[in-house]
Amino acid sequence: MDLNRVQIFAQVVEQGSFTGAAKALGLTKATVSRKIAELESDTGTQLLFRTTRALKLTEAGSSYYNRINKILSDLQSAENQLSAHQQLIKGNLKIVCPIELGQLFLGPIFAQFLTLYPDITIEAELTNRKVDVIEEGIDLLFQIADSSDTRLQSYSLVNAYKSLMASPSYLAEHGTPKVPQDLAKHKAIRLQSAHIEGAWKLFDGQSWVVIEPVTQLTVNNVTIAREAAIAGLGITAVPSIIAQEAIEKGYLVPLLDDYPMVQTKVVLSYPKRAYLPRKYRVFIEFIYTALFKRWGSQVLEVPEFIGQQEPNNSRST
C-alpha cells in the first residue's frame, strides 16, 4: 500500500478539491490528480465523481474513506505519543574523558547538565588509557588526540596547543632558555602516556628539533606536571587549556614561543549510527554551548544538527 496516495486521497475528500488538497500538502495540483488516478487504477475502483464544479465520493469511495480515516487517525495518535515520549529525555550516558579535561572542564558541565535533565544519568570514567569505544559500550569519548577509528563519528572541538613553561622562581634560579638546544641545561618534568610522547619536539622554522630532556620527574598526568612546574621543579610541556589559569595568574611562564611544538586537538567521538538518540543530541548541544562561551571562534568543528550558531540548551524538543 502506498500510504502517500492514501493520505492525498483523504486530503482531497477533506478539502473538497484537488486544488485545496495540493495547497494543504504543499504539492502541485497535477501531482495530486495523478496520485488519485493511480490509486483508482491500482484498486480497479472509481473513488470520486469529477464535475467542473465539485468532487463527490462514489459509494466505494465513501466506504474507503471511512476506513482509511480511522487508520490515519491511529497513525497520527501513535506519532503524537512517540513525540511525547521523546520529550521525556532520559537514559544513561557512559562517557570517557582524559583526567585533566574532566577535572577542569567537564566536571562543572556534568553538574549543570544533570540539573537541567534530571532523568539522565552519567557514568563518567576519567582516564588516560587507550579506549575501544565499540567493544566497551561507551557512548561518548573525549580525547586529546586525533581519532582514526572509522567506526566512530568524530569532531575536533578545540586545539590543545602544547608549549613549554616553567615557574618564575625556577627561571630566576636557572635562567630562561632562548633556543631549543638550551633545554639540555635544564631540569624537566616529562609527560608520558599512551597518547603523549616523552620527547619534546619543536619546530625551528625548517625542521623538527627533538629534545630528550634530563628528567627528574616522569608522570602520566598533566595536572601533576603542571603543579610540579608551579612548585619550581623544572620545565614541562602541557596543553595551554590545562595551564591557562596558571599562566594568567603568573604562576607559569610560557617558553620558546618562536618554536612551536607538535599540536593535538580535543576530539569528541561516538559510535556511528543512523539515528542519534535524543540523550546524545541534548548532551552534545550542551557541550557546544559551553565550548562557544569559553572558546568562541576557536571551536573547530560543529555537527550539522547544531549548525554554526551557538546552540540552544533549552529542554524543548
Side-chain angles (χ1 to χ4, degrees):
M1 180 179 67
D2 187 337
L3 186 59
N4 185 43
R5 294 190 311 201
V6 173
Q7 292 173 315
I8 290 174
F9 172 72
Q11 278 295 318
V12 169
V13 175
E14 291 165 10
Q15 299 295 329
S17 69
F18 288 158
T19 301
K23 184 176 181 181
L25 295 169
L27 302 173
T28 64
K29 181 180 177 182
T31 297
V32 171
S33 179
R34 175 169 56 81
K35 290 293 184 180
I36 297 301
E38 290 174 356
L39 180 61
E40 290 181 323
S41 176
D42 289 349
T43 59
T45 305
Q46 184 177 1
L47 302 173
L48 295 165
F49 289 121
R50 300 165 178 78
T51 68
T52 55
R53 294 186 178 181
L55 292 175
K56 292 185 179 180
L57 286 169
T58 64
E59 184 178 351
S62 178
S63 176
Y64 182 70
Y65 173 74
N66 289 334
R67 297 189 66 180
I68 66 169
N69 188 49
K70 183 179 186 308
I71 293 171
L72 292 175
S73 177
D74 288 344
L75 286 173
Q76 184 62 56
S77 177
E79 184 175 330
N80 290 340
Q81 288 179 3
L82 179 61
S83 177
H85 175 73
Q86 286 293 82
Q87 291 177 13
L88 298 174
I89 305 171
K90 58 184 178 180
N92 184 64
L93 286 171
K94 188 174 182 180
I95 300 172
V96 174
C97 60
I99 296 171
E100 303 78 15
L101 186 68
Q103 291 172 334
L104 297 177
F105 179 63
L106 292 176
I109 289 177
F110 288 161
Q112 296 163 12
F113 177 78
L114 293 175
T115 300
L116 194 61
Y117 295 95
D119 295 318
I120 290 181
T121 58
I122 289 178
E123 181 183 347
E125 178 186 355
L126 275 62
T127 179
N128 292 326
R129 66 180 178 86
K130 286 189 175 180
V131 174
D132 189 319
V133 171
I134 305 300
E135 290 296 323
E136 298 182 41
I138 294 166
D139 294 307
L140 297 157
L141 169 67
F142 292 87
Q143 57 185 328
I144 302 179
D146 290 328
S147 176
S148 57
D149 192 336
T150 57
R151 302 172 300 170
L152 306 180
Q153 176 65 58
S154 298
Y155 297 97
S156 296
L157 303 182
V158 292
N159 284 311
Y161 293 111
K162 187 169 61 175
S163 61
L164 295 167
M165 56 193 70
S167 69
S169 62
Y170 174 86
L171 296 174
E173 182 177 352
H174 299 278
T176 301
K178 303 299 182 184
V179 295
Q181 290 73 16
D182 291 344
L183 294 170
K185 306 172 187 176
H186 288 269
K187 298 178 183 179
I189 304 160
R190 190 187 328 216
L191 272 167
Q192 192 162 348
S193 70
H195 300 296
I196 303 171
E197 297 181 4
W200 292 341
K201 295 182 179 179
L202 300 96
F203 191 67
D204 64 5
Q206 295 182 335
S207 62
W208 289 99
V209 178
V210 180
I211 305 295
E212 288 284 355
V214 176
T215 305
Q216 277 196 295
L217 176 64
T218 301
V219 296
N220 68 343
N221 182 279
V222 174
T223 304
I224 294 176
R226 182 195 63 196
E227 294 304 303
I230 290 174
L233 181 62
I235 297 173
T236 194
V238 298
S240 57
I241 60 174
I242 302 298
Q244 183 177 348
E245 184 177 354
I247 292 172
E248 291 174 352
K249 292 182 177 180
Y251 300 155
L252 291 173
V253 178
L255 305 172
L256 299 173
D257 287 341
D258 293 334
Y259 299 89
M261 304 188 75
V262 175
Q263 301 301 334
T264 56
K265 300 177 176 67
V266 179
V267 178
L268 169 64
S269 302
Y270 53 83
K272 287 183 178 177
R273 58 185 69 205
Y275 172 74
L276 190 64
R278 282 288 297 162
K279 63 180 181 179
Y280 279 49
R281 291 175 63 104
V282 295
F283 181 78
I284 294 171
E285 287 172 357
F286 199 84
I287 287 293
Y288 271 90
T289 297
L291 288 171
F292 285 126
K293 286 180 179 178
R294 184 159 181 175
W295 284 290
S297 61
Q298 297 179 51
V299 175
L300 299 175
E301 295 180 338
V302 182
E304 290 184 2
F305 62 84
I306 290 179
Q308 297 301 315
Q309 301 299 317
E310 179 170 332
N312 183 0
N313 61 358
S314 169
R315 291 189 65 181
S316 62
T317 57

